[in-house]
Amino acid sequence: MAKGPKEQTVSERLPVARVAVDISLAHLDRPFDYLVPASMDETAVPGCRVRVRFAGQLVDGYLLDRIQTSEHQGRLTRLERVISPEPVLTPEIFALARSVADRYAGTLADVLRLAIPPRHATAEREAPSAPPSDSAAPPSATPPPRPPRPGPGSWARYPAGEAFLAALAGGRPVRAAWSALPGPGWPAEIAIAAATTAAAGRGVVIVVPDARDLARVDAALTAVNQGDAGHVCLTADLGPAERYRRWLAVLRGAVRIVAGTRAAMFAPVCQLGLVVLWDDGDDLHAEPRAPYPNAREVLALRAHQCGAAALIGGFARTAELTQLVAAGWAKPLVGRPDVLRQVAPRVRAAPDEAELARDAAAMTARLPSLALRTARTALAGDPRGSAALAVGPVLVQVPRRGYLAAIACARCRAQARCAVCGGPLRVGGSNEVPGCRWCGALAADWACARCGSDRLRALVTGAARTAEELGRAFPDVPVRISGGQHVLAEVPAEPALVIATPGAEPVAADGYAAALLLDGWALLGRPSLRAAEETLRRWLNAAALVRPAGAVVVLAEASLPAVQALVRWDPVGFAERELAERAELGFPPAVRMAAVTGPSTAVAEFVGSAALPDRAEILGPIPAEISGPAGPNGAEPDAEPAERALIRIPRTDGLALARALHAAQAARSARKDGAPVRVQLDPAEVA
């Protein structure tokens, strides 16, 4: 500990504070002891923000605990000041943050930056004061009144739905792997489960992928609670003052239900009784900052530590959630088969045998006749007078945004590349010059390096080009585009073509009359372990927006497992098969895996120095698709190529692997030499 003029010996018997300093170095990932001056005795409470002198500098930190004596044999430094007496770090959130850091081989400081928003002094002063909290009672002296318990609503469509709500009302830690029925009812079902838990006097944390889903859940909670302010929404776009004000209301027990995006998984809800995660396969649930936790794992860990119930799922089922079911941690919660047949759309794969018999060119057509007939019928009605397919908007899902996302030589079919950096070329509009997707350089005089031809053809067609083509095919029909920076939340019920990229599909007022899922090969052909699982998730999310008995046409080979799962609406069976295949091949989530990325010599040194468990298996290293870490003071990245090594280990040894990697990071950071490496447990991609 650094020495200074304010240092005192432990013999003076001043109280001691244990502080977690806000420093992300792995070898400093432990609490440090400081003396509490008499002037700060009342304000230096456990959980408050403090400022301390560390290694000659003033740094922020959190006061974890107050003790009478320290085990440190040297001299202790006093706290510099208490930034705020507000106990923002509760014992439950501290235990969760420590567990998350241990699981992902990260530091407590990094997790606390994700868990606790920056302080806003004005919002803190304007909020009503509250006494310090303890582990048994919420910090609010007057907890909010309990709302009345709602009825089961559409949960009656699930065989175990009412039993699940009864368990929530009784405070039992029931954990469900939820396969939601298609349709717009999932926000109301989440709201009913949350209100049932709140009626029992316990708190709820709801996490959804994006702001559009959050708006739907917010409206459903307001409807179930009959307009009472019994919940708050936490999002990054609120602004620092409003976000901190709402977060303080949660901390002080003024509200029991919190809904938000990824950061809300750490919301300090008092007496937590239920955690909800919608669409757990969405990559927006994966934190892009160290230590890269996933909301599914964090909420499952939090429910386990608090003895809370859990509701995790969506229209699709991930292999990770299926693993929790196989381990007995969660029970499946699926809809009644007869109800599924009533509410699910009719799905056909194109081209099928009937279409090929009618049109031999359907195999190579981007929009076969079946897709065009389905769209025409949904937009203008069946000329034969059939009411099987009601008139309304048609959703067209396109995997890529832009105009021509990739182009190739028209003669030899080689992909067109930039002459400057070698990146892929694209076309942004019908009259635009091809440009590089990496460096932006224009290629007005492009010629194929292989055959010399200067003619181009589309390799990957984007949403803008698709909208242009369909606009010509249906000249009297409005065309709306949703994707990129322009995402629509809703569209009216009138006939229209809605071109959307995956995840940007707007909700139709009365549901879509039909949906066309284009370019299935582009999704299924990605070099990713999760390609088929992610493709089915995107298809199901789009098809769930279609009216009951509406038409869905997917352009993909009908014999593929993902296509068959969509046709039968069987996400559970597909996930079980996916998990079995990964277990046989030794892929996550059947095993735990870590990725170490950085310059080649740094990766080799790190992996060689780590005291890995005996059953750890090292795969690679292989070249990584990222540049080397930047040098000091913004210098150019090292010329040494980046590599990535994967470490595979049985799930039972996962915590031992995380500890070994953290120890290796600590030893490396203590030496302060060598290029940095990135360590990521349970990486999203292992291919």
Side-chain angles (χ1 to χ4, degrees):
M1 189 66 59
K3 299 181 181 180
K6 294 185 178 180
E7 294 177 353
Q8 296 186 5
T9 61
V10 181
S11 61
E12 296 186 26
R13 301 302 178 187
L14 286 177
V16 178
R18 288 198 163 166
V19 177
V21 294
D22 189 12
I23 298 177
S24 297
L25 296 176
H27 69 287
L28 301 178
D29 186 28
R30 58 185 177 87
F32 294 88
D33 293 348
Y34 288 84
L35 295 176
V36 181
S39 59
M40 305 179 192
D41 189 56
E42 294 184 1
T43 57
V45 298
C48 73
R49 305 177 199 255
V50 296
R51 180 158 293 176
V52 298
R53 187 167 295 278
F54 190 91
Q57 297 181 346
L58 290 177
V59 297
D60 293 339
Y62 296 94
L63 197 156
L64 302 179
D65 196 9
R66 291 274 298 265
I67 57 178
Q68 291 301 316
T69 59
S70 172
E71 297 179 356
H72 182 66
Q73 299 301 318
R75 300 170 65 88
L76 296 182
T77 304
R78 292 183 180 186
L79 297 176
E80 286 291 329
R81 69 184 181 96
V82 175
I83 298 176
S84 168
E86 187 76 35
V88 294
L89 180 58
T90 64
E92 190 251 326
I93 297 301
F94 167 70
L96 176 65
R98 183 68 267 174
S99 297
V100 170
D102 293 341
R103 175 181 176 82
Y104 286 94
T107 64
L108 178 65
D110 282 335
V111 180
L112 291 181
R113 290 196 196 109
L114 304 175
I116 302 177
R119 177 177 180 256
H120 195 279
T122 302
E124 190 172 285
R125 287 194 302 268
E126 293 175 353
S129 60
S133 65
D134 54 45
S135 60
S140 174
T142 57
R146 298 184 182 183
R149 178 181 172 182
S154 55
W155 278 111
R157 304 183 301 168
Y158 299 83
E162 296 188 56
F164 174 73
L165 296 178
L168 296 181
R172 299 195 298 275
V174 58
R175 295 154 189 162
W178 181 28
S179 298
L181 289 168
W186 65 267
E189 290 163 357
I190 290 178
I192 290 172
T196 301
T197 306
R202 305 194 70 182
V204 182
V205 172
I206 304 170
V207 177
V208 295
D210 54 39
R212 294 186 306 134
D213 290 333
L214 182 59
R216 299 178 65 185
V217 172
D218 183 21
L221 288 170
T222 302
V224 169
N225 293 327
Q226 300 179 355
D228 293 340
H231 72 280
V232 295
C233 294
L234 297 178
T235 58
D237 58 357
L238 289 173
E242 181 60 25
R243 181 186 178 192
Y244 191 59
R245 186 178 293 110
R246 296 188 184 188
W247 190 86
L248 282 178
V250 177
L251 174 70
R252 296 175 178 180
V255 291
R256 286 195 172 95
I257 302 175
V258 177
T261 49
R262 181 178 61 238
M265 60 187 173
F266 291 105
V269 174
C270 303
Q271 299 176 349
L272 184 64
L274 173 66
V275 297
V276 181
L277 182 66
W278 172 253
D279 199 8
D280 70 300
D282 197 308
D283 56 7
L284 292 176
H285 289 308
E287 175 60 51
R289 293 170 293 180
Y292 319 104
N294 187 287
R296 176 184 52 248
E297 309 303 325
V298 173
L299 290 179
L301 184 61
R302 188 172 184 182
H304 179 76
Q305 291 184 346
C306 296
L311 180 63
I312 304 175
F315 296 121
R317 170 77 73 82
T318 61
E320 285 77 9
L321 187 55
T322 305
Q323 174 77 18
L324 294 178
V325 174
W329 188 89
K331 299 295 183 182
L333 183 57
V334 298
R336 300 181 186 276
D338 57 328
V339 176
L340 177 61
R341 288 192 293 269
Q342 294 173 6
V343 299
R346 296 177 290 108
V347 182
R348 289 186 63 182
D352 55 14
E353 294 183 359
E355 287 298 310
L356 290 176
R358 175 184 302 180
D359 182 10
M363 180 65 72
T364 58
R366 183 165 185 261
L367 282 170
S369 57
L370 173 62
L372 292 174
R373 291 199 312 271
T374 301
R376 187 175 295 110
T377 303
L379 293 170
D382 193 337
R384 296 170 297 181
S386 173
L389 189 60
V391 176
V394 174
L395 174 64
V396 182
Q397 186 191 71
V398 184
R400 304 284 181 86
R401 65 176 183 266
Y403 192 77
L404 297 180
I407 52 180
C409 174
R411 179 187 297 173
C412 67
R413 307 299 174 90
Q415 186 171 4
R417 293 281 178 177
C418 175
V420 177
C421 70
L425 296 182
R426 65 174 178 83
V427 176
S430 57
N431 298 319
E432 286 192 14
V433 175
C436 180
R437 282 164 44 191
W438 290 0
C439 69
L442 298 180
D445 55 350
W446 178 87
C448 179
R450 179 183 296 177
C451 68
S453 173
D454 59 355
R455 297 175 55 208
L456 294 168
R457 69 182 300 272
L459 191 62
V460 177
T461 303
R465 175 62 180 267
T466 303
E468 183 180 290
E469 293 174 349
L470 290 175
R472 289 196 296 263
F474 301 93
D476 298 328
V477 178
V479 178
R480 298 182 173 89
I481 301 178
S482 179
Q485 300 299 319
H486 182 66
V487 178
L488 303 176
E490 296 181 352
V491 293
E494 62 189 30
L497 286 166
V498 182
I499 317 299
T501 53
E505 301 92 349
V507 177
D510 297 321
Y512 289 98
L516 309 180
L517 311 179
L518 304 186
D519 301 336
W521 59 268
L523 292 173
L524 291 169
R526 293 184 303 121
S528 169
L529 173 68
R530 306 176 189 275
E533 177 184 276
E534 177 65 10
T535 299
L536 179 60
R537 185 188 72 82
R538 295 181 177 185
W539 284 346
L540 289 172
N541 286 351
L545 301 175
V546 179
R547 301 168 186 169
V552 176
V553 177
V554 55
L555 273 65
E557 174 59 45
S559 62
L560 296 175
V563 178
Q564 286 298 307
L566 175 64
V567 171
R568 299 192 305 269
W569 204 278
D570 183 24
V572 175
F574 177 84
E576 291 174 345
R577 172 177 176 169
E578 186 81 3
L579 178 62
E581 291 179 352
R582 294 192 196 178
E584 183 176 354
L585 297 173
F587 284 126
V591 299
R592 287 206 71 187
M593 193 166 282
V596 180
T597 310
S600 56
T601 55
V603 170
E605 178 186 351
F606 180 87
V607 174
S609 63
L612 300 176
D614 294 337
R615 295 197 288 177
E617 180 184 3
I618 301 175
L619 308 176
I622 60 174
E625 295 182 357
I626 61 173
S627 59
N633 303 320
E636 292 295 326
D638 295 335
E640 186 176 3
E643 290 188 341
R644 190 186 199 204
L646 296 175
I647 304 173
R648 180 167 57 186
I649 201 167
R651 293 196 64 84
T652 53
D653 294 338
L655 187 57
L657 173 62
R659 289 171 177 167
L661 295 176
H662 184 273
Q665 282 280 58
R668 191 175 185 84
S669 64
R671 294 198 311 267
K672 300 180 181 180
D673 60 353
V677 296
R678 185 180 70 178
V679 178
Q680 187 173 3
L681 269 291
D682 300 328
E685 295 292 348
V686 297

